[in-house]
């Protein structure tokens, strides 16, 4: 595809990725956790891989043509953010940082024995991945990028097909998010490694931010949801 289009897209994508939001709050919270943040970042990236697949399949155009579909996805995303923010806020007292191993394992004295901790570590890693996947897959910022902005950089007369252009743009965004969110998570872990009180404050702040973003999104959708419900009732 045209280098100018890819460059322009990357500028917009990286700018959006560097804008603090739900993904940032989740990446920071994962960085302050007691285990590796890699599953959480992988989950965030996987959510955008799903967006890329849907974009290449033409689902983004369908969502643009059916505004109510995007509306209800936004509502679902807002509710998920509220839940995730509540759970993060709830766990802020336990955010004191402990040193982890190369693979994200806890010290034996912190777990009561390595053997007994293994199932919990595995389950926690999978849970972190799923939470990251859920956060990015219904992140309104991601939906905006893939539904509204990405099609602007796709050319029907280009040498590459539209699905291939969609895949290239989408995966370029995934790579940029992988780099940026890894830096965010690693940065929060490194900076707050010896500051457990600061880690608790940041974890609490991240949870509050996610709750606030979810609440704002819900308030913004009250009008459209009311109109959609009224239209549905009228049809019945």
């Amino acid at each position: 595809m045209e280098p100018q289009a890819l460059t322009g897209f990357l500028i917009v994508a990286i700018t959006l990725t560097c804008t603090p939001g739900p993904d940032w709050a989740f990446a920071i919270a994962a960085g302050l956790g007691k285990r590796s943040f890699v599953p959480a970042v992988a989950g965030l990236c996987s959510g955008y891989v799903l967006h890329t697949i849907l974009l290449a399949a033409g689902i983004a155009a369908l969502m643009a043509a059916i505004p109510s579909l995007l509306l209800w996805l936004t509502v679902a995303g807002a509710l998920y953010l509220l839940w995730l923010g509540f759970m993060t806020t709830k766990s802020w007292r336990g955010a004191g940082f402990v040193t982890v191993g190369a693979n994200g394992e806890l010290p034996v004295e912190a777990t009561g024995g390595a053997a007994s901790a293994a199932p919990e570590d595995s389950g926690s890693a999978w849970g972190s991945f799923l939470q990251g996947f859920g956060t990015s897959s219904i992140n309104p910022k991601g939906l905006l990028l893939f539904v509204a902005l990405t099609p602007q950089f796709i050319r029907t007369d280009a040498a590459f097909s539209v699905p291939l252009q969609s895949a290239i743009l989408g995966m370029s965004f995934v790579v940029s998010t992988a780099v940026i969110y890894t830096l965010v998570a690693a940065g929060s872990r490194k900076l707050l490694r010896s500051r457990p009180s600061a880690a608790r404050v940041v974890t609490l702040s991240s949870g509050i931010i996610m709750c606030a973003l979810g609440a704002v999104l819900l308030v913004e959708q009250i009008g459209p949801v009311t109109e959609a419900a009224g239209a549905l009732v009228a049809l019945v």
Side-chain angles (χ1 to χ4, degrees):
M1 61 184 302
E2 298 180 3
Q4 298 90 336
L6 180 59
T7 302
F9 173 79
L10 284 175
I11 292 174
V12 174
I14 292 174
T15 300
L16 281 176
T17 306
C18 290
T19 303
D23 291 353
W24 269 63
F26 181 76
I28 291 173
L32 295 177
K34 297 177 180 179
R35 298 177 175 85
S36 172
F37 55 78
V38 172
V41 174
L44 287 171
C45 295
S46 297
Y48 292 121
V49 170
L50 174 63
H51 280 296
T52 300
I53 294 173
L54 295 178
L55 177 67
I59 302 300
L62 175 63
M63 292 176 63
I66 307 177
S68 59
L69 179 58
L70 182 59
L71 167 65
W72 293 112
L73 282 175
T74 302
V75 171
L79 293 174
Y80 180 77
L81 275 178
L82 284 172
W83 175 81
L84 189 59
F86 171 76
M87 296 302 294
T88 302
T89 304
K90 183 180 177 182
S91 64
W92 76 277
R93 292 184 182 277
F97 197 89
V98 296
T99 303
V100 296
N103 298 318
E105 69 273 9
L106 285 172
V108 173
E109 63 269 18
T111 60
S116 62
E120 292 185 8
D121 287 348
S122 175
S124 178
W126 178 242
S128 295
F129 176 87
L130 291 179
Q131 287 184 345
F133 178 82
T135 299
S136 60
S137 62
I138 54 181
N139 180 4
K141 184 170 66 176
L143 292 174
L144 170 67
L145 177 78
F146 281 89
V147 175
L149 296 180
T150 303
Q152 309 302 320
F153 297 92
I154 295 176
R155 303 288 181 266
T156 55
D157 58 348
F160 293 163
S161 65
V162 171
L164 182 56
Q165 291 181 70
S166 301
I168 292 174
L169 294 176
M171 292 310 298
S172 299
F173 179 72
V174 170
V175 171
S176 69
T177 58
V179 173
I180 293 172
Y181 293 149
T182 296
L183 291 176
V184 170
S188 65
R189 171 163 292 195
K190 183 176 180 62
L191 291 174
L192 300 173
R193 177 181 294 273
S194 60
R195 304 172 183 172
S197 60
R200 295 185 184 98
V201 171
V202 172
T203 300
L204 178 62
S205 300
S206 298
I208 293 175
I209 289 172
M210 284 187 275
C211 288
L213 289 172
V216 169
L217 284 172
L218 277 181
V219 171
E220 289 179 346
Q221 302 308 315
I222 289 177
V225 167
T226 302
E227 293 178 4
L232 182 62
V233 171
L235 290 176
V236 176

